[in-house]
Amino acid sequence: MDMDLDAHLTDAAAAVADASDLDALSVVDTDLLGKKSLLATVRSQLGEMEPDRRKEVGRRVNEVRTGIERLVAQRRAELAAGARAGVLEAERLDLTEFDLGRRLGHRHVVTQTWERLEDLFVGMGYTVAEGPEIEDEWHNFGALNFPPDHPARDMYDTLYVDYGEPQSTLLRTHTSPVQIRVMEEQEPPIYSIMPGRVFRSDTADSTHMPVFHQIEGLVVDRGITFGDLAGTLEAFTTAYFGSGFTSRLRPSYFPFTEPSAEFDIRRPDGSWLELAGCGMVHPNVLASCGLDPEEWSGFAFGFGLDRLALMRHGIDDLRELFRNDHRFLEQF
Ligand code: DAH
């Protein structure tokens, strides 16, 4: 019996080494260690043996079992590594490949939209400002007149960063905090736009992405009125979309503007599309930035930049902008 077990271990080692893939190995594993294996049979016979012999054979069965288990585990690791290498090889991309004339890089359709908007507003006398993507609670909410625990904070599915006090640091949910940074840093008159990337805990679908882009506008000067806001957005509409388009403002609510409005454009086919939020900068926001609301007034607006890109090019799924499929991007 002892000799049988030694021979069995040798045979087992050969069978394990012969298994050429993970499926074959699991068959060998069952043969050698399963309920119908030689080891299981010997073990079931232990009860019939003399005590001394039972002890001796029992010990040997366990040793052989451990030995086989080790061999199987080793072989499994080898085969898994090989399988992984095979997958990597099969999925290999030649990143140096390029096909002159057809695959030359160009700016992404979102970047093109971003730059077009900058050009347009710079042409109207605006400067371009940027702010950090990781923000503090004060700039993203507090200074924008969202009181602590105010339900309006729930409009934004905020992604918090594990840094400092709980909920004190976050990925900015909109570009509006850059308004605050601009007002903190410079004296009015301010005529600025602030394009950038923003983040919300949203599931990706054809109209939502957890990462997207906005472009914020801020004007602060003496004697700015709602009429200036409406006129600016109307001028923007014809400049960006063409003369067949007009716009309208609908009452809305944002904590940082009063009054607040939604900005819609009317397409040549008569349909309306919501493009931005806007309004007159709330006196509390001016005061948070050390500006006297009796002296200064202003307006602000925030566009969904990706939506402008989709609109302009007749793309119907926002996710296409982030998939980075060359066959798609080449078209723009
Ligand atoms: N920050 C708002 C949002 O992300 C958009 C917005 C609304 C920006 C009104 C503004 C504004 O500047 O005045 O939903």
Side-chain angles (χ1 to χ4, degrees):
M1 183 56 78
D2 290 8
M3 278 311 295
D4 275 353
L5 284 174
D6 287 339
H8 183 57
L9 183 56
T10 314
D11 292 349
V16 168
D18 270 357
S20 57
D21 60 30
L22 288 165
D23 287 341
L25 183 64
S26 88
V27 172
V28 172
D29 185 22
T30 311
D31 283 352
L32 293 173
L33 300 169
K35 288 201 189 92
K36 294 182 185 149
S37 63
L38 178 72
L39 288 180
T41 312
V42 175
R43 179 171 283 176
S44 71
Q45 292 162 357
L46 288 176
E48 296 151 20
M49 294 177 192
E50 295 292 306
D52 283 353
R53 175 140 179 84
R54 182 192 311 156
K55 213 168 147 192
E56 166 69 19
V57 175
R59 187 179 53 80
R60 193 67 195 124
V61 166
N62 284 340
E63 282 169 6
V64 170
R65 181 173 190 86
T66 312
I68 294 177
E69 281 170 354
R70 193 172 302 138
L71 290 167
V72 169
Q74 263 170 21
R75 183 73 186 138
R76 180 169 291 127
E78 272 168 33
L79 289 171
R84 228 174 6 253
V87 168
L88 287 177
E89 181 57 28
E91 291 179 354
R92 209 166 74 108
L93 289 178
D94 181 0
L95 297 179
T96 64
E97 175 193 29
F98 88 110
D99 177 353
L100 233 153
R102 202 167 70 84
R103 284 281 165 92
L104 280 183
H106 71 298
R107 281 165 306 161
H108 191 279
V109 57
V110 170
T111 312
Q112 293 176 35
T113 306
W114 178 317
E115 292 184 349
R116 248 192 116 236
L117 290 162
E118 284 186 354
D119 286 350
L120 211 147
F121 279 101
V122 166
M124 302 202 299
Y126 286 60
T127 58
V128 180
E130 283 185 38
E133 294 178 348
I134 299 177
E135 260 299 2
D136 53 56
E137 181 282 332
W138 169 251
H139 286 92
N140 198 81
F141 290 126
L144 287 162
N145 197 36
F146 289 79
D149 302 323
H150 191 278
R153 292 192 184 212
D154 300 340
M155 295 184 342
Y156 301 91
D157 302 298
T158 309
L159 290 160
Y160 289 95
V161 175
D162 190 3
Y163 179 80
E165 292 291 305
Q167 308 213 335
S168 63
T169 309
L170 44 83
L171 298 181
R172 66 179 178 195
T173 58
H174 50 176
T175 43
S176 301
V178 193
Q179 287 185 28
I180 303 299
R181 292 187 177 276
V182 168
M183 285 188 272
E184 283 171 345
E185 276 158 29
Q186 75 190 64
E187 298 284 314
I190 295 168
Y191 290 80
S192 284
I193 51 158
M194 296 143 265
R197 205 150 55 141
V198 301
F199 308 83
R200 289 186 200 171
S201 167
D202 241 335
T203 308
D205 65 25
S206 63
T207 54
H208 295 88
M209 283 295 290
V211 182
F212 57 105
H213 302 88
Q214 291 187 335
I215 184 162
E216 193 82 12
L218 175 70
V219 167
V220 180
D221 205 340
R222 290 193 171 83
I224 296 293
T225 68
F226 200 84
D228 296 316
L229 169 61
T232 302
L233 290 177
E234 181 71 20
F236 161 79
T237 306
T238 24
Y240 187 79
F241 293 104
S243 53
F245 290 74
T246 52
S247 64
R248 74 175 172 196
L249 293 168
R250 273 181 299 124
S252 185
Y253 172 77
F254 297 99
F256 38 93
T257 43
E258 179 58 37
S260 304
E262 299 290 340
F263 165 68
D264 303 334
I265 58 160
R266 185 175 185 275
R267 296 183 272 215
D269 69 1
S271 62
W272 292 94
L273 183 75
E274 183 181 317
L275 277 189
C278 60
M280 300 306 289
V281 181
H282 197 291
N284 290 352
V285 174
L286 294 169
S288 290
C289 302
L291 297 175
D292 178 0
E294 299 293 329
E295 183 179 0
W296 303 105
S297 62
F299 64 75
F301 53 84
F303 282 98
L305 203 156
D306 313 283
R307 191 175 261 204
L308 285 170
L310 296 188
M311 243 300 290
R312 189 174 173 81
H313 298 287
I315 303 164
D316 56 12
D317 192 328
L318 181 59
R319 288 167 294 194
E320 292 290 3
L321 298 184
F322 298 87
R323 242 175 228 140
N324 278 344
D325 184 328
H326 271 280
R327 291 162 299 184
F328 171 78
L329 293 174
E330 266 170 0
Q331 305 171 75
F332 309 101

